[in-house]
Each structure stands twice: as structure tokens, then as C-alpha cells.
Amino acid sequence: MSRALDIRLDVQERFQDVVGAARRAVEITVELSAMEIWGQVKEEAPVDQGRLAGSFVTQKQSPLQWRVFTDVHYALAVMEG
């Protein structure tokens, strides 16, 4: 007596799980990169009274876009010389 072997593999649902996990990993990486940049510019800002170093902030624009900025008008001149 012969038996047929029938193997089915449905990867669609698991594939979506992998895609979602990968997207979340990229979102976390982008956020951590923004925090690292924020920390670096605060650390590298020259300190006289500390206004410039204390003025840098981060702002989430979207899950994959963050902004690190300051509203101190002389920041670019000080940071780039």
C-alpha cells in the first residue's frame, strides 16, 4: 500500500511577523541614533555659560525620522567655527 506525502507550508503569516519585527528594529535603531547624536552635540558644545549645550533637543518627526536641533541663533557658528 502506497501513501502520498502532502506537505504544505504557509509562510505568509510568519513573513508578516518578520517584516513587522524588522521594521520595529529599524525604528529603534533610528531613535537610538538620534539620541546618540543628541548626546554627542551636547558633549562637544563648548561650555561658557552652558546655554548652547543645554539647548539641543530631539523631536520625533515620524517613526523613521528624528530631528536634533537647537534654537540658539549662534549654534552653527560656534559648532563649525
Side-chain angles (χ1 to χ4, degrees), residues 3-57:
R3 291 187 179 186
L5 181 60
D6 185 11
I7 299 173
R8 296 176 190 200
L9 182 60
D10 183 5
V11 297
Q12 184 65 31
E13 185 176 316
R14 296 298 304 164
F15 181 74
Q16 291 304 318
D17 292 344
V18 171
V19 169
R23 179 170 177 86
R24 184 68 186 130
V26 171
E27 290 172 2
I28 291 169
T29 301
V30 170
E31 180 177 359
L32 292 175
S33 296
M35 296 302 124
E36 176 67 21
I37 292 167
W38 173 76
Q40 289 295 317
V41 294
K42 284 180 67 83
E43 186 177 301
E44 293 179 16
V47 177
D48 184 12
Q49 296 178 347
R51 179 173 178 226
L52 179 58
S55 70
F56 291 101
V57 295

Side-chain angles (χ1 to χ4, degrees), residues 52 70 72-81:
L52 179 58
T70 180
V72 174
H73 70 279
Y74 56 84
L76 187 61
V78 170
M79 296 299 284
E80 292 190 0

